[in-house]
Amino acid sequence: MWKWLHPYANPEVSYHFSVKLTPWLTAIAAILIPVGIVWALAFVPADYQQGDSFRIFYLHVPAAMLSMGIYVGIAIAAFSSLVWQLKLADASAAALAPIGAIFTVIALFTGAAWGKPMWGTWWIWDARLTSELILLFLYLGVIALHNAFDDKNLAGKAAGILSIVGVINIPIIHYSVEWWNTLHQGATVSKLDKPSMSVEMLWPFLICFLGFSFFVAALGCKRFCTEVLARNSMRPWVRALATAQEKK
Amino acid sequence: MQFESFSDFLNMGGYAFYVWLSFGLSAILLISLVISSNNNHKALLNKIAQQQSRENKLRKLAKQRQNDASSDVQEVVS
């Protein structure tokens, strides 16, 4: 049943598939993100408590959710690379790590810029903020390990072990607002109950979140292609691609 | 539209600094990541192509030297 997946273990097949996929993902992201952001900035009613500062929510929450989601994705890729020796899984983990790190920075920064007017402080060492900061350091560690070895298999193994161990931080981030007293507000969207948000506020959030997800997928595909080429630079098909590119 | 005028929109109900700081910095970060990813891709392809042309040159030189050497030998024999 899953046999159709087998050809994609071949780097060349995966590379061409990603090349084909990238423009479609980019197009969807290029439509969804502007629609979501303009809706969030200009058309959503202001929050009855937080006024217009709450519009930062539409960047902050998607960025934070993606920073955690990408990390879980990297850890799953690292696990399948360690267990089943899938070399392409390493390539995808290496491709995604910088994107996750950037979203973590965005989540932290927009959080600070939202916290200043609402809490009166840019930063506080409470559980949610600190654990998200640790996530950033985990990302930096994973990126550094991927670049620390000339042998990419060894680099993938080292970075993979760090990313698998670091997964423990993800539930800590998610439940930090329940387990500890914190300034940070509780979950609004990602909970089993109905989201505690009115529909007119929820829709633009979903569009922003989807848009950023497609952005991650598109950029991830592009970076995955680079990683695959770097890991196969001695292969004839990569060399043919490189000379064709140079002639252009 | 939630705002009465464009200056009202820019003012963001008094939170202009925080809102535009967040959106501006996020945009800069994401755009620079896209640009650097694209540049990396191109730089890698160039590097591979360069390496290849260097290898081709070396191979040609080695062949030439071999030919020269064999013609030298022939001269000595004759």
Side-chain angles (χ1 to χ4, degrees), chain A residues 36-62 110-111 113-119 185 188-189 196-206 208, chain B residues 2-3 11-20 22-23:
Chain A
I37 294 292
V38 169
W39 194 343
L41 277 175
F43 296 96
V44 174
D47 186 69
Y48 80 106
Q49 275 182 326
Q50 308 194 349
D52 287 312
S53 77
F54 119 97
R55 298 180 195 282
I56 296 174
F57 168 91
Y58 293 98
L59 274 182
H60 178 71
V61 178
T110 55
W114 194 6
K116 182 63 186 163
M118 288 303 113
W119 305 338
Q185 64 196 62
T188 315
V189 185
S196 43
M197 223 183 172
S198 72
V199 180
E200 55 182 344
M201 287 177 169
L202 191 63
W203 266 111
F205 164 76
L206 292 176
C208 281
Chain B
Q2 285 300 314
F3 299 94
N11 189 38
M12 276 290 151
Y15 295 112
F17 174 68
Y18 304 107
V19 172
W20 296 119
S22 301
F23 280 81

Side-chain angles (χ1 to χ4, degrees), chain A residues 234 239, chain B residues 51-67:
Chain A
M234 303 303 277
R239 306 202 135 196
Chain B
Q51 199 182 345
Q52 203 176 354
S53 68
R54 200 181 306 134
E55 277 170 27
N56 285 345
K57 242 181 245 165
L58 283 178
R59 212 170 291 144
K60 224 181 255 171
L61 261 178
K63 213 178 215 177
Q64 215 172 358
R65 243 177 240 158
Q66 215 171 18
N67 286 346

Side-chain angles (χ1 to χ4, degrees), chain B residues 23-41:
Chain B
F23 280 81
L25 193 100
S26 307
I28 290 170
L29 281 174
L30 292 179
I31 290 169
S32 35
L33 182 65
V34 171
I35 292 173
S36 88
S37 301
N38 283 335
N39 286 348
N40 282 347
H41 193 87

Side-chain angles (χ1 to χ4, degrees), chain A residues 18 70 74 77 87-102 139 142-143 146-147 215-228 231, chain B residues 33 37 40:
Chain A
S18 306
I70 292 171
I74 289 175
K87 285 182 186 166
L88 288 175
D90 270 346
S92 62
L96 281 173
I99 309 177
I102 288 287
Y139 270 123
V142 170
I143 295 169
H146 270 297
N147 294 319
F215 172 86
V216 170
L219 192 57
C221 268
K222 179 80 192 179
R223 297 184 60 92
F224 174 74
C225 288
T226 316
E227 291 290 336
V228 171
R231 279 148 213 262
Chain B
L33 182 65
S37 301
N40 282 347

